[in-house]
Amino acid sequence: MALSVDLFGTLVDADRPDAPWDAVADSLAARDVRVPDDWEAAYRSSHREYERGREAPLDEHVRLALASRGVDVSSDTAREAVLAAFDAPVTVRDGARDVLRAAHDRGGVAVCSNCSVPGLVERTLARADLGHETDLGPDSVVTSVDCGWRKPHERIFQATADALDIPLSGLVHVGDDARTDGGADRVGATSVLLDDASLATVADRLREGSLC
């Protein structure tokens, strides 16, 4: 058995901008990118069709939204601007460190997160002192923006199991969202939802060897 853990809403709580289009606009302007007058409308419009379950990278969306208004921006600039717009203070949730510590004592541990912003999960883990450079840092980080698929799709759980070098049936995934994290049950892994067990309970069950 190996454990994967959701990030936002499970290990950490993060401040999210109330108007993300404004946060992105400010970040673009700080990089000398001309922001269209109708930027909110452009940001909130769809500019590409994605296969069901596919992640829509936010930096790509921003480039397409700008291009729809005649503004060209490099991939690097869009990525930097989007990351800066969403890189906000975070709070480590009670029990999060205990879960990671207990998981490491029993075997491999990964963070498996739906996130459309490239680099944000890694930046958030570093902000929370839960990154790979710490004793509690996960062995692997699997994000929807990097693997291309969002939970509850089987492919992101399979990518997490592969990263931990275990079969999908040996993966236990802990998260807060029944619709997304609970999808682990539907693809052959095991889900543990915070509605059913607190992080403190998960840590205790890991130490007891009774999590699944």
Side-chain angles (χ1 to χ4, degrees):
M1 184 204 84
L3 191 79
S4 65
V5 191
D6 176 53
L7 180 58
F8 301 106
T10 299
L11 292 178
V12 304
D13 290 320
D15 291 340
R16 299 283 181 90
D18 294 330
W21 48 88
D22 287 340
V24 171
D26 291 343
S27 191
L28 289 169
R31 288 161 177 79
D32 297 323
V33 176
R34 180 175 67 82
V35 178
D37 292 338
D38 63 342
W39 173 241
E40 179 179 345
Y43 184 95
R44 300 179 73 172
S45 298
S46 176
H47 300 282
R48 177 183 165 185
E49 293 295 326
Y50 293 90
E51 182 181 351
R52 183 177 177 84
R54 276 281 188 185
E55 180 59 273
L58 190 57
D59 58 327
E60 178 181 73
H61 173 72
V62 166
R63 284 194 298 109
L64 292 173
L66 288 169
S68 75
R69 296 328 193 243
V71 179
D72 291 326
V73 65
S74 71
S75 297
D76 286 345
T77 298
R79 180 174 294 222
E80 291 168 5
V82 166
L83 178 57
F86 288 87
D87 182 16
V90 298
T91 302
V92 178
R93 303 189 77 231
D94 291 343
R97 289 190 169 90
D98 204 18
V99 165
L100 292 174
R101 189 175 295 110
H104 277 300
D105 288 343
R106 292 200 60 83
V109 56
V111 164
C112 174
S113 176
N114 279 352
C115 182
S116 63
V117 180
L120 183 60
V121 167
E122 293 83 358
R123 182 73 61 86
T124 299
L125 287 168
R127 272 187 174 275
D129 291 327
L130 299 176
H132 69 273
E133 70 282 355
T134 71
D135 292 340
L136 296 180
D139 300 302
S140 300
V141 174
V142 178
T143 66
S144 57
V145 74
D146 287 334
C147 82
W149 298 91
R150 292 182 64 82
K151 295 177 288 187
H153 200 283
E154 179 179 2
R155 292 194 190 186
I156 188 170
F157 291 115
Q158 185 63 63
T160 303
D162 290 346
L164 293 171
D165 197 26
I166 59 168
L168 187 54
S169 60
L171 179 69
V172 178
H173 178 72
V174 178
D176 67 309
D177 189 321
R179 184 183 63 82
T180 57
D181 300 305
D185 284 331
R186 299 188 288 274
V187 300
T190 301
S191 67
V192 177
L193 298 176
L194 296 189
D195 282 346
D196 302 321
S198 68
L199 288 175
T201 299
V202 171
D204 287 342
R205 289 170 60 186
L206 278 168
R207 284 189 287 265
E208 295 165 356
S210 61
L211 190 60
C212 66

